[in-house]
Amino acid sequence: MSDLIGRADECGRIDELLDAARTGLSGALVVRGEAGVGKTMLLDYATAQADGFRIVRLTGVESEQELGYSALHRLLAPAIDQVDCLPEPQRDALNCALGVLPGRPASTFLVGLGVISVTASTAGTDGPLLCVVDDAQWIDRESIDVLAFWGRRLQADCIALIFAERSGIMTASRLQGLATVDLDGLELDAARMLLESHAGFRIDRNVADRIVAEVEGNPLAVVEVAKGLTPDKLVGLAAATQPLPLTRRLEERFASEVQSLGADVRLFLLLAAAEGSSDSVAIWEAAARLGLDGAAAEAAEATDLIALGPPIKYRHPLIRSAVYMSAPPADLRTVHGALAAVVDPGEVARWAWHRAAAAVGPSEEIAALLASCAQRANSVGTTSAAVALFGRAAELTPERHHAAERRVMAAEVAVESGSLGQAHAFVDLATPVLRDPAWRARAQRADGLANFREGNHVVAAPRLHAAAVGLFSTERDLGRQTLLEAVDAATYCGDDAQSAFLRSIAVTFGSSAGDSSVVGSSAGHSSVVDALLRAFALHAQAGYVGALDEYRMAIASCRDADPEELAPWTNLIAAVTRLMWDDESHDLLLRRIADWGRARGALLSLWIALLYLASSATWRGEIEYSAALLAQAADLMSASGQFAPDGIGATLDAVRGREADVRAVVIPTLDNAGHRAHAYAGRGALVDVYIGRAKYPEALEHALVLFDADPLMTGPHLLPDMIEAAVRAGDRNAAEQALSRLADRATAAATPWALGLLARSRALLMPSSEAEAEFSAAVELLGAANMELQEARARLLYGEWLRRARRHIDARDQLRQAHDMFAAMGASAFLERARIELSAAGDHVAKQEIGAGSDLSPQEAQISELVAQGATNQEIASQLFISQRTVEYHLHKVFRKLGIKSRTQLARRVLEERRPKTGGSSDGV
């Protein structure tokens, strides 16, 4: 315990985590700090305190960082027999990751769900499980993503997961979102106590304070300094002005110590540093090839820098780093050459790395070998290894243009793996050298996609367009896909620039089809990509009404397609079905994408689909269900290492009447030039909340911005709101402009949803003698479409009109129905308006405050919804990416909170509360 001086709070955090696991709960903790600050000691403390736990310990190895899923192999080794007991998708994904089956896993997250299931099934039966991961910054990318996903989903599985990660590394931590303990240097008193305990004698206080300050309280540095101190060395140091006899950089201290050793000892230490893995056999065989005998190894161990094990292990990663980084290049080539000669060539990537490190200069033979390994790594899903291998292949390629092409390959895989900064860097290196237009186009596409995924859509759209033009001549299918990616990016841009850009894309598409004047011909093209391209291109050239037939054919193509073909275009499919007011196709296609995303672990497509389905639930008045879908989407974003933006629920908050909340999250985004789609969605939420609060001038101000921009995603749906706001604000000209646009589009779309909104909007501008028929038609059409929120709003407007016509009895009937519908669905934004109007019509209603609903947590609500749909615990666990034990834990809490005892009772309760009235779609997702 003397080595944990000054770490009482940190040890307390670990104790709490272990105690929770003993009681059936779970959790994850990240211990983060600079090298030598004591992270490993805290992990040692955790394992020492874990009485009764099964313990699994991993240590990241820098040389294995590019070997995809290598750490996962070590984690699952004790429980490998459990993999075959998993549901088929999880079993196959794990077996692919572990190399048991050929091919790449469906997704990292499906592998992660398999890990959740395996570990949850083993924890608890033989006692709780403690997994500690040291040097997490060196864990391979695929494994750390799986481990982080696992850590974010731990809830009730008798598992404690602790990571130790070095701070100050260049790349962002993959462990974001997990609870963190940030380790700093020791406080002065604790560091002084540690110094004296290792020096073995009392040190003058002023000298001790100078030493502690010099090493900034770093425990490893304190210990290393203490080892070299003797009383005679400290004489006079208290008053000395010169630097203390220690180095600020421990790597330099260790390197200096190594340089004082004999040549054979240094070479053995370098050999162990170069291999870096737990393969002691390879190290001994390579040592024999280099003529190093046991005496050199024993002399190395005697320095206390390394332990011969097995496995052969450095006392601290800094020592290994110092040995390797200070070695002469010739010695590095020598040891890597010896390792390449003894490593099994079947371990292609590891063998290739050693060969590459042993190369004296450029070599096409070795570069080609590395490129081949990169392609193989990419084919099995270890994309981080593929990026590194392509990059190293480029460095060893003698011919500059060929090297640039390999850098483009690295950039393409980097985009796929999410390493967007690397993608930009590879493109920047390659572009000045590339001669072939097709390769230049591929580089542009990689750069454009990287910008797209970073949210820089204004830059991404033109780059993707330029890339598509360059690809059409050699890779027609990829060119069309890239052109649709440009359209997708453009939908996030909005305003006149979006329209002009889409027109230029239309010309490109027409030229690629051989006729730049007619882009609507569907002859010979039936894929989802072509169908969507034709529709958007014709819209850009001929306008909304002129493109309706193409939009209908695009929707038909999507309905006939497999969800895997649909998933990349989730955003555009939502846009098309919304443009057409086709709620049936909207929900059908997005549910299909969501179901596929769940089954394949494709969380990106899944949470995007859930966001759109949540807005669909809001249209139907299913406010609580919409909130549950939004919570699920946010939960999955967090699980995948992303975090939901503040405005993700702004539209729902607007319907709930939470004006202050909407303003707080939306107003700061209104000038976001790089992501105008979010700003437009935010303005739409402001329009909704202001109309609900009868603040019509404020609503009209934001509606006019949206009317001028006419964004693809939200433009048509803004028009009825703009008409209502303009009429109430006294701006008849603005209302008539919006009605003209709405009439053209809604009449052409001709769905009950569209026609109901049109009838409601016409009624606001019609003479009294004609308005009633339109109001009645709006109520009927929106009711038939199951658009209950819009139906209730139509009844509110109808009642307001009847009251102004002094038909108070008829007005009370419509207003009472609107009031009750708003109250049942929780639409506070309009509830107070309906109450005020009812009072004015002579029907006094007490002011009603809608509470937060049930006190179930978002995850408890999601589980309850799935129980109501008849899902088993295993199915719920797979859908929500949690363990069955966690499902059982939450169900127990739900039963207690609701005072029920069975799944049947829970299903009945959910079905009774889900909708404000019968009818409409309530399908789960």
Side-chain angles (χ1 to χ4, degrees):
M1 292 301 298
S2 64
D3 289 323
L4 288 174
I5 292 169
R7 298 301 189 199
D9 291 343
E10 292 82 356
C11 290
R13 292 283 298 276
I14 290 173
D15 291 339
E16 290 173 4
L17 182 64
L18 296 176
D19 288 343
R22 289 187 179 99
T23 63
L25 299 178
S26 295
L29 186 66
V30 180
V31 179
R32 184 176 292 127
E34 65 178 8
V37 79
K39 302 183 296 296
T40 299
M41 295 302 300
L42 282 174
L43 296 189
D44 292 342
Y45 173 84
T47 58
Q49 300 301 308
D51 293 333
F53 280 73
R54 296 181 63 191
I55 299 174
V56 177
R57 187 158 188 164
L58 298 175
T59 299
V61 179
E62 190 172 3
S63 61
E64 292 187 2
Q65 194 177 12
E66 310 303 343
L67 303 179
Y69 292 115
S70 58
L72 193 64
H73 277 263
R74 289 184 276 150
L75 170 71
L76 294 182
I80 197 70
D81 58 319
Q82 298 293 321
V83 173
D84 287 340
C85 301
L86 298 179
E88 183 178 353
Q90 299 174 38
R91 183 187 68 224
D92 290 348
L94 262 182
N95 281 332
C96 287
L98 299 176
V100 177
L101 291 177
R104 64 166 55 203
S107 81
T108 300
F109 306 114
L110 201 56
V111 175
L113 181 56
V115 171
I116 290 170
S117 299
V118 167
T119 54
S121 68
T122 57
T125 56
D126 299 322
L129 172 67
L130 169 64
C131 179
V132 294
V133 182
D134 204 355
D135 278 329
Q137 74 278 357
W138 302 135
I139 296 290
D140 64 275
R141 169 74 173 273
E142 287 76 18
S143 292
I144 198 64
D145 282 347
V146 168
L147 294 173
F149 178 82
W150 178 35
R152 296 185 191 106
R153 311 309 285 167
L154 284 173
Q155 297 180 48
D157 304 305
C158 305
I159 296 172
L161 172 60
I162 308 177
F163 297 92
E165 180 179 63
R166 189 179 299 180
S167 59
I169 54 178
M170 295 296 293
T171 56
S173 171
R174 313 297 296 180
L175 302 175
Q176 294 179 15
L178 297 178
T180 301
V181 171
D182 289 311
L183 279 188
D184 296 319
L186 293 173
E187 296 292 335
L188 182 60
D189 288 344
R192 189 189 303 119
M193 188 183 305
L194 180 65
L195 178 68
E196 291 189 348
S197 70
H198 281 270
F201 60 91
R202 187 165 185 79
I203 300 174
D204 179 86
R205 186 183 184 92
N206 291 331
V207 174
D209 288 352
R210 286 197 62 191
I211 293 173
V212 170
E214 182 77 11
V215 299
E216 298 177 342
N218 184 291
L220 177 64
V222 169
V223 170
E224 291 299 322
V225 170
K227 288 180 179 180
L229 290 180
T230 58
D232 60 296
K233 288 184 178 179
L234 300 179
V235 175
L237 277 181
T241 58
Q242 72 271 22
L244 295 177
L246 55 94
T247 175
R248 293 180 61 86
R249 295 188 177 183
L250 286 173
E251 290 94 336
E252 294 178 6
R253 179 186 179 90
F254 291 135
S256 175
E257 186 174 344
V258 169
Q259 292 307 311
S260 67
L261 302 174
D264 285 356
V265 178
R266 292 200 309 271
L267 198 59
F268 185 85
L269 287 170
L270 181 58
L271 183 63
E275 173 50 25
S277 75
S278 57
D279 189 354
S280 300
V281 173
I283 295 174
W284 289 117
E285 290 181 354
R289 291 185 67 88
L290 294 174
L292 301 175
D293 56 20
E298 290 174 357
E301 187 175 43
T303 66
D304 197 30
L305 299 176
I306 197 170
L308 296 181
I312 296 174
K313 185 179 180 180
Y314 274 94
R315 178 162 57 83
H316 193 278
L318 285 179
I319 304 174
R320 176 179 175 271
S321 175
V323 169
Y324 192 86
M325 298 304 296
S326 64
D331 287 353
L332 287 170
R333 290 192 295 270
T334 297
V335 297
H336 280 292
L339 288 165
V342 299
V343 167
D344 183 357
E347 297 183 61
V348 181
R350 188 167 152 225
W351 176 60
W353 272 121
H354 285 309
R355 284 204 64 190
V360 176
S363 165
E364 177 57 29
E365 177 191 358
I366 297 176
L369 172 64
L370 290 170
S372 175
C373 292
Q375 290 166 341
R376 181 177 180 274
N378 193 37
S379 71
V380 298
T382 53
T383 51
S384 59
V387 172
L389 289 162
F390 273 130
R392 181 60 175 147
E395 292 172 0
L396 293 176
T397 301
E399 206 279 315
R400 295 176 66 243
H401 304 292
H402 196 189
E405 291 166 2
R406 285 173 171 155
R407 289 192 173 99
V408 173
M409 294 178 189
E412 291 171 333
V413 182
V415 170
E416 182 183 352
S417 70
S419 301
L420 305 179
Q422 280 189 293
H424 290 308
F426 280 123
V427 169
D428 290 344
L429 285 171
T431 299
V433 184
L434 292 169
R435 292 177 178 174
D436 188 333
W439 279 102
R440 293 184 69 86
R442 285 178 61 173
Q444 284 179 308
R445 178 173 182 263
D447 197 54
L449 288 176
N451 277 285
F452 191 176
R453 296 184 184 184
E454 289 168 334
N456 193 0
H457 304 109
V458 173
V459 172
R463 290 192 182 173
L464 289 168
H465 182 204
V469 172
L471 289 167
F472 275 131
S473 60
T474 57
E475 299 182 70
R476 186 182 185 85
D477 289 343
L478 183 59
R480 287 175 179 264
Q481 177 182 327
T482 305
L483 193 61
L484 190 58
E485 289 165 345
V487 172
D488 200 358
T491 64
Y492 288 93
C493 299
D495 68 27
D496 293 338
Q498 171 185 274
S499 299
F501 180 69
L502 289 175
R503 284 194 294 272
S504 67
I505 285 179
V507 172
T508 301
F509 178 69
S511 299
S512 74
D515 182 356
S516 61
S517 63
V518 181
V519 297
S521 172
S522 59
H525 302 298
S526 60
S527 72
V528 167
V529 169
D530 284 329
L532 290 171
L533 272 175
R534 284 196 305 275
F536 285 112
L538 194 58
H539 186 170
Q541 286 193 334
Y544 175 90
V545 175
L548 277 178
D549 286 342
E550 285 296 339
Y551 276 131
R552 289 192 178 97
M553 285 190 282
I555 292 172
S557 292
C558 291
R559 291 181 70 131
D560 290 338
D562 293 332
E564 187 170 6
E565 190 179 358
L566 301 176
W569 316 113
T570 305
N571 178 61
L572 294 179
I573 289 167
V576 168
T577 50
R578 289 170 179 230
L579 281 168
M580 294 294 296
W581 281 287
D582 185 350
D583 56 298
E584 179 187 353
S585 294
H586 178 276
D587 286 7
L588 172 71
L589 294 172
L590 289 166
R591 277 199 298 268
R592 193 183 294 170
I593 292 169
D595 290 343
W596 175 86
R598 233 184 234 105
R600 300 278 293 178
L603 295 197
L604 175 62
S605 297
L606 174 55
W607 65 252
I608 292 175
L610 290 175
L611 292 179
Y612 286 124
L613 286 164
S615 64
S616 179
T618 301
W619 301 332
R620 301 184 189 287
E622 299 169 344
I623 303 300
E624 291 305 316
Y625 183 45
S626 176
L629 291 175
L630 283 173
Q632 188 178 350
D635 181 48
L636 293 173
M637 292 172 76
S638 174
S640 60
Q642 304 182 57
F643 297 92
D646 291 337
I648 189 173
T651 299
L652 186 61
D653 283 342
V655 173
R656 286 169 157 171
R658 299 173 180 173
E659 180 181 341
D661 293 341
V662 174
R663 287 174 52 83
V665 299
V666 167
I667 288 178
T669 72
L670 295 183
D671 296 324
N672 186 347
H675 202 325
R676 294 192 184 100
H678 284 177
Y680 292 149
R683 286 189 189 275
L686 287 172
V687 171
D688 284 339
V689 79
Y690 286 144
I691 287 179
R693 296 299 189 196
K695 296 181 177 181
Y696 301 115
E698 292 92 335
L700 181 59
E701 175 188 350
H702 293 285
L704 286 168
V705 174
L706 294 172
F707 181 79
D708 291 339
D710 195 20
L712 280 170
M713 188 65 71
T714 56
H717 297 268
L718 170 279
L719 298 172
D721 290 338
M722 177 174 168
I723 293 164
E724 181 178 347
V727 167
R728 294 290 190 249
D731 191 339
R732 188 175 182 87
N733 180 57
E736 288 177 343
Q737 289 184 53
L739 181 62
S740 175
R741 185 181 291 178
L742 177 62
D744 287 344
R745 298 179 179 185
T747 303
T751 67
W753 182 14
L755 295 175
L757 292 174
L758 176 60
R760 189 183 83 188
S761 301
R762 278 177 171 162
L764 292 172
L765 286 164
M766 280 186 167
S768 295
S769 58
E770 302 173 31
E772 185 163 13
E774 293 290 346
F775 276 128
S776 295
V779 168
E780 181 179 351
L781 286 164
L782 292 169
N786 295 315
M787 293 294 161
E788 292 185 7
L789 177 61
Q790 298 297 346
E791 178 193 347
R793 289 182 60 181
R795 289 185 183 277
L796 174 60
L797 291 170
Y798 189 10
E800 290 173 345
W801 179 84
L802 287 167
R803 187 183 69 78
R804 286 165 177 75
R806 300 185 183 280
R807 294 168 56 183
H808 293 286
I809 294 175
D810 292 336
R812 286 197 293 269
D813 179 54
Q814 293 297 331
L815 291 170
R816 169 61 72 179
Q817 290 188 66
H819 179 276
D820 291 349
M821 291 174 72
F822 290 138
M825 67 180 72
S828 297
F830 298 94
L831 179 64
E832 180 62 7
R833 252 181 71 183
R835 188 193 70 81
I836 292 170
E837 286 292 330
L838 264 175
S839 296
D843 188 356
H844 295 286
V845 182
K847 188 170 184 179
Q848 185 172 351
E849 292 295 335
I850 297 177
S854 107
D855 61 350
L856 300 183
S857 71
Q859 191 156 75
E860 290 164 0
Q862 295 165 37
I863 290 172
S864 300
E865 178 68 36
L866 292 167
V867 167
Q869 296 172 31
T872 66
N873 283 4
Q874 184 181 81
E875 291 167 340
I876 294 171
S878 294
Q879 289 202 41
L880 300 184
F881 293 86
I882 54 180
S883 70
Q884 291 187 59
R885 185 173 289 148
T886 296
V887 174
E888 294 164 2
Y889 168 76
H890 284 302
L891 274 177
H892 177 75
K893 293 173 65 180
V894 168
F895 286 179
R896 177 171 49 80
K897 287 180 179 181
L898 300 183
I900 59 178
K901 296 182 179 180
S902 71
R903 298 169 77 94
T904 301
Q905 288 178 301
L906 176 58
R908 187 180 301 118
R909 177 76 67 89
V910 171
L911 293 171
E912 287 172 354
E913 296 181 354
R914 181 189 293 162
R915 292 179 52 75
K917 66 177 190 177
T918 59
S921 169
S922 61
D923 291 343
V925 178

